[in-house]
Every structure is written in structure tokens, then in C-alpha cells.
Amino acid sequence: MSLEYSLNVLQDKIKNFQDLAKERIFNLGKIRVTLINPDNQVEETKLTLGFYYLRNTIKEILESKIKLKDFNRLNQSIKRIFQRFIDTDELINFNKQHDLFKQLNENDSISPFKLLFCDIFHEKIKRDVFKDKCDKLKESLTNFHHFKEKFKELYSKIQRFEIIRDKFEQYQKIIESGNLKVLNEEKLEDIRLFRSFFPLEAYSNILIDIKNKTITKI
Amino acid sequence: MESKEIVELITKEIEINSFLNISEFLQQNNLKNIKIKDLIKEIEENYNSQLILDSKNTEVYSYELVYNFFKLKMFKSLETGDDIDLSFDDFKAFKSEDVIRVFGTIDSEFIDYLMDKI
């Protein structure tokens, strides 16, 4: 995936978005957005013209050597358009009185943590298990070196979960059946990981004895 | 061992640990007489959708790690209304072209998301 490819895709997305927005929202031209020009001058314009500006800016960037400072200005303008849409209730149904960061993260179409919001987590797993980890990740956003450590911790747990995910229903059935013989035939670490996704009170009759590498009933 | 094979090993390690220091990784795995310059070239040319090098070519990050850092930064900026300045220290750990590339991808995804909402 090259830099030029990413910018071309972005330009196409903006074009499609512009066409769709013009088609569906008649009063789009009434909304004004602030754009940052390459000469650092700020310009207020109609939202519809804002899209033309973004597309043209990307074209210019693609034709010359791409510099971070130019993209920085482009991205600030894109962000203002995102912001304008989020601010406009009739366009996007966001309630800004609530935690927008949380709302965005809980949206399974754009969240970086899509897995946490998939059905299996929604229905069966205590999401609070991850709440602290997600909060710490959010708090560490000001420092990449802290962030990467927190991310590693959370991501490795999610990755391990992905590996046992296919066996999820099977583990649940075995634990609920109380058949210790079958349960002890499974990998102890996997059962332990599976168990960690549930609230403490769930399956509290099952004791995983790490020292003796056995699973027993209390 | 060829550069490609070593980068494959790096990719496997990154899948679990999200980032690593190249020199330390080579040392820990007893990989001697390896030209780091060749590894960098291999990563940049053939693995840039999975791996991202830091600005000094000393550490390798998973694409997921950098993507999530940038995306959460963007979410945060939408929440606070503040602009993200990509020239700030927060982004100095990365090469400019990677910052542009990953942000371009995130912007595209967000525009797709807005398209569903209008």
C-alpha cells in the first residue's frame, strides 16, 4: 500500500461522499466550514465547496512531492468537515452531550476495537474486563511510548481470544455440563483465558489449579 | 538467512508483541552478520502494509499499533474539537510518509462511515 495509493483512495472517497451528500442533502450548501489553505490562511466556505477544495488539494499534493506540512493542513481541513458533520444533528445522529470518544469507539463500523463490540462480547462476555485497559490506552494517547506498552497488553489478549474463539461455544458447553474429565482434556491455558472473559461470579464453581495443572469443582 | 526470511520472523514476533527493536531481536535470535540496511529495504518495499519502521529505523511496529494510535488520536480530537498537528512531537517517532499514508487510510474509513449516516 503506497502513499500515492492511499491519497488516491482518499480522493475517490471524498468524491463519492460529495456526490452522495449533494444527492441526499439539499441544504448542504447552507452549512459553512473553515478550511486551511496551503499559505496558512483560513478560509470560510460552503460545505459543498469544501469538498471541491479537499479534492483539488489532494490532486495538487499528488502532482508535487508530498510534504507533511501540506498534508497536515489538508488533514486539519478534513477534520473540520468531520467535526461539522458530527455537530450537525440532522446529518449525523451523535449526541455530543455524551462521551463522543466512547460513542465512536463503540461503533462497530469505525472502532479500532471492533472485536470488543462484536456479538459474542455483547451477549456473553463482561466487557468491563476490558474497560480499564481501554481507559488506560486512552489516557496514554499523549505519549506513544506509553501507548505502545498498553496496546501490546490489550492486543495480545485480544489476539489470544481470537485463537480460541472457534472453541468458545464448545468450552461453554463443557463447563456447563460439569464434565471434569472432558474439561481436563482441553488446554488449561485456553480454559483459563476463556474463563477470564466472564464476570467473577460466572462459573464460580470451577477452580483452575495452575500449580497442579487441573480443573476441579468447588 | 535471507532478508525476507528474517522479516518473516519479525512479522511473526510482531503479531504477538506489536513492536520490537531490530538489533535486540537479531541478538536474541542469534542472527549474526545481517545487514540491517537490507532488512529495512525489505520491510519498506514488501511489508509496509503489516510493518512500520520508526523514523530512526531502529524499531518496528505493527501496522495495527500505529493505525490504532492515530485513529484514537483522531477520535480524541473530534471529541475535544482541537486540531491534530501532525508535525507535533507525538508523531515524530514515525516517518512523514507513514503518517500521511495511515492518516489517509483513516480519513477514507471515516468518510465511508459518514456516507452510511447521510
Side-chain angles (χ1 to χ4, degrees):
Chain A
M1 196 203 312
S2 71
L3 181 56
E4 284 73 13
Y5 175 80
S6 298
L7 287 176
N8 272 320
V9 170
L10 180 58
Q11 189 175 307
D12 286 346
K13 302 274 179 185
I14 290 173
K15 185 186 177 301
N16 291 339
F17 182 65
Q18 178 183 23
D19 291 345
L20 190 70
K22 276 202 298 197
E23 185 188 312
R24 293 201 188 160
I25 304 163
F26 296 110
N27 64 351
L28 198 64
K30 292 178 192 166
I31 301 165
R32 300 183 78 79
V33 287
T34 309
L35 303 173
I36 302 170
N37 289 318
D39 60 4
N40 241 355
Q41 293 295 308
V42 177
E43 182 190 342
E44 196 178 274
T45 185
K46 288 178 180 176
L47 188 53
T48 42
L49 291 174
F51 291 130
Y52 280 115
Y53 168 89
L54 292 180
R55 281 166 54 195
N56 290 340
T57 310
I58 294 175
K59 269 185 194 166
E60 281 171 27
I61 288 178
L62 282 168
E63 282 163 9
S64 58
K65 189 168 164 43
I66 300 163
K67 288 179 187 155
L68 184 61
K69 69 178 174 62
D70 297 329
F71 186 76
N72 201 8
R73 289 180 192 123
L74 172 72
N75 214 60
Q76 282 176 20
S77 294
I78 290 176
K79 189 235 141 200
R80 286 177 190 198
I81 287 182
F82 289 163
Q83 189 75 52
R84 201 68 191 83
F85 267 77
I86 287 171
D87 283 345
T88 312
D89 278 343
E90 68 263 31
L91 298 178
I92 291 194
N93 192 22
F94 267 122
N95 184 352
K96 287 200 77 184
Q97 300 307 309
H98 289 87
D99 185 345
L100 180 64
F101 188 94
K102 188 165 173 277
Q103 282 186 65
L104 288 168
N105 268 307
E106 288 193 354
N107 190 301
D108 62 8
S109 59
I110 48 168
S111 172
F113 306 109
K114 294 185 181 86
L115 183 70
L116 296 184
F117 306 109
C118 70
D119 290 345
I120 207 157
F121 273 94
H122 267 305
E123 290 167 13
K124 294 172 182 165
I125 296 170
K126 189 187 177 194
R127 278 202 346 230
D128 289 354
V129 171
F130 287 98
K131 195 176 173 301
D132 284 349
K133 287 191 193 302
C134 288
D135 283 349
K136 278 179 185 154
L137 204 59
K138 183 181 169 183
E139 284 162 17
S140 66
L141 272 176
T142 50
N143 184 317
F144 177 67
H145 293 288
H146 291 163
F147 179 88
K148 68 180 184 186
E149 297 292 344
K150 300 291 170 202
F151 180 85
K152 178 177 157 182
E153 204 180 308
L154 177 65
Y155 195 73
S156 96
K157 190 159 186 174
I158 291 175
Q159 285 298 94
R160 286 174 62 215
F161 170 75
E162 273 293 287
I163 293 165
I164 65 160
R165 197 169 163 183
D166 290 343
K167 288 190 163 186
F168 214 86
E169 301 280 335
Q170 188 190 332
Y171 286 164
Q172 206 160 15
K173 277 181 193 163
I174 296 172
I175 288 184
E176 280 165 10
S177 76
N179 189 336
L180 286 179
K181 188 174 174 291
V182 180
L183 199 55
N184 275 297
E185 284 168 6
E186 298 293 335
K187 276 187 193 168
L188 195 74
E189 275 305 313
D190 288 353
I191 297 287
R192 196 180 171 204
L193 177 65
F194 167 82
R195 176 71 181 73
S196 75
F197 285 97
F198 289 88
L200 283 174
E201 59 274 18
Y203 308 122
S204 57
N205 57 335
I206 298 290
L207 181 72
I208 301 172
D209 185 345
I210 300 296
K211 197 179 168 190
N212 296 311
K213 295 185 177 174
T214 55
I215 300 171
T216 51
K217 269 190 188 176
I218 299 172
Chain B
M1 203 181 256
E2 282 186 21
S3 300
K4 190 176 168 50
E5 289 173 89
I6 298 170
V7 176
E8 284 291 335
L9 289 177
I10 290 176
T11 308
K12 278 187 184 164
E13 178 68 20
I14 290 279
E15 275 172 20
I16 306 160
N17 286 320
S18 300
F19 61 92
L20 58 80
N21 178 295
I22 300 174
S23 304
E24 285 171 14
F25 177 80
L26 296 177
Q27 206 175 357
Q28 282 158 10
N29 290 278
N30 214 16
L31 295 162
K32 290 172 185 166
N33 302 322
I34 307 291
K35 282 187 184 167
I36 293 187
K37 221 163 100 179
D38 294 344
L39 293 181
I40 304 296
K41 193 168 174 256
E42 180 69 24
I43 291 173
E44 284 182 334
E45 286 178 2
N46 300 315
Y47 289 82
N48 73 3
S49 60
Q50 295 155 272
L51 306 173
I52 291 183
L53 288 155
D54 72 343
S55 55
K56 292 174 185 162
N57 289 335
T58 52
E59 283 201 329
V60 188
Y61 311 122
S62 73
Y63 183 88
E64 287 286 310
L65 167 64
V66 179
Y67 166 88
N68 281 307
F69 180 64
F70 290 180
K71 193 157 191 174
L72 287 170
K73 279 269 195 197
M74 194 194 86
F75 282 10
K76 187 77 187 154
S77 88
L78 287 171
E79 185 185 48
T80 57
D82 297 335
D83 280 334
I84 309 177
D85 188 342
L86 303 177
S87 326
F88 264 15
D89 288 349
D90 293 355
F91 300 99
K92 290 266 168 70
F94 315 100
K95 294 173 186 171
S96 310
E97 56 266 36
D98 288 327
V99 175
I100 296 174
R101 186 163 60 93
V102 179
F103 258 97
T105 306
I106 293 170
D107 288 340
S108 296
E109 286 178 0
F110 211 81
I111 287 169
D112 278 348
Y113 165 76
L114 293 176
M115 278 173 89
D116 289 342
K117 297 282 175 185
I118 60 173

